[in-house]
Amino acid sequence: MRCSICGARLTKEGDICKNCYKEFQEEEELKKDTKEQLKIKRKYSISYEVYKYTELIIICILAMVVCISAGGFLESLAVIGIFAVIFGLLFFIDKRLAVGTKVVFYEKKAVYTFDIGIINTTKVVKYEDIEDIRYFQTRRQKKFGYGDLCVYTKGVIPGAGYFGGFQIKNIEDVEGNLKKIAEILGVTLEQ
Ligand SMILES: [Zn+2]
């Protein structure tokens, strides 16, 4: 007799081995964990977008000024049109990412979702598998209190750990949210 899932030899009668049964039970237990403790989304705000693309916006304005002062009316319109398309696209992509990215913390697990239509990923991470949580922020993110939240799971090489856990960019009040997460996970943050 062999386990119908992993193929391990069975010592007693049955369909699956002890290990697979334990895993199955754990999974069932995790499925029952549906009480939402905290939901975090990737933030989208126009003012941050404008701040993030400051240099690009300045270049665009300068280019427009040059065109307008050169007297080319149609050229100016074309330049404005091109810039409108570029920014429209950049803002649209950021907005789409923000709408499609979230993590929900339950009592024992976190469920991360990344859904932008063509790409759709869901990751379930058990708290007992979490090694570390931390955030990173750029100078610009800091001004808005935003940051990139990273959740690392055990058994992965530091630095390459992103694939073992998940990351959410541009979350609001990153410091406050990290504290809330630590509380839910029952860990103390090292500062
Ligand atoms: Zn098995």
Side-chain angles (χ1 to χ4, degrees), residues 32-91:
K32 281 188 227 154
D33 182 15
T34 51
K35 225 173 119 194
E36 255 188 52
Q37 311 283 311
L38 178 69
K39 188 192 264 177
I40 294 177
K41 290 183 147 191
R42 179 176 165 139
K43 178 78 180 167
Y44 174 84
S45 88
I46 285 285
S47 50
Y48 178 69
E49 291 293 311
V50 170
Y51 187 52
K52 184 173 147 192
Y53 296 118
T54 306
E55 288 86 357
L56 200 57
I57 289 167
I58 291 170
I59 291 168
C60 289
I61 291 169
L62 287 177
M64 272 192 262
V65 168
V66 168
C67 271
I68 291 163
S69 61
F73 178 68
L74 282 178
E75 286 87 340
S76 305
L77 271 187
V79 168
I80 291 167
I82 290 164
F83 291 150
V85 169
I86 292 172
F87 284 112
L89 209 60
L90 285 175
F91 288 12

Side-chain angles (χ1 to χ4, degrees), residues 26 30 108-109 125-131 154 185:
E26 257 181 34
L30 274 185
K108 293 173 203 144
K109 67 176 177 197
V125 178
K126 281 187 280 179
Y127 293 162
E128 54 187 74
D129 290 341
I130 291 175
E131 170 90 58
K154 283 174 193 162
L185 264 60

Side-chain angles (χ1 to χ4, degrees), residues 3-8 10 15-21:
C3 168
S4 56
I5 295 169
C6 71
L10 296 174
D15 286 316
I16 59 172
C17 73
K18 257 193 236 163
N19 286 339
C20 290
Y21 182 66

Side-chain angles (χ1 to χ4, degrees), residues 39-43 98-99 101-103 168 170-172:
K39 188 192 264 177
I40 294 177
K41 290 183 147 191
R42 179 176 165 139
K43 178 78 180 167
V99 169
T101 316
K102 67 165 187 208
V103 58
I168 292 201
N170 284 346
I171 72 163
E172 231 179 344

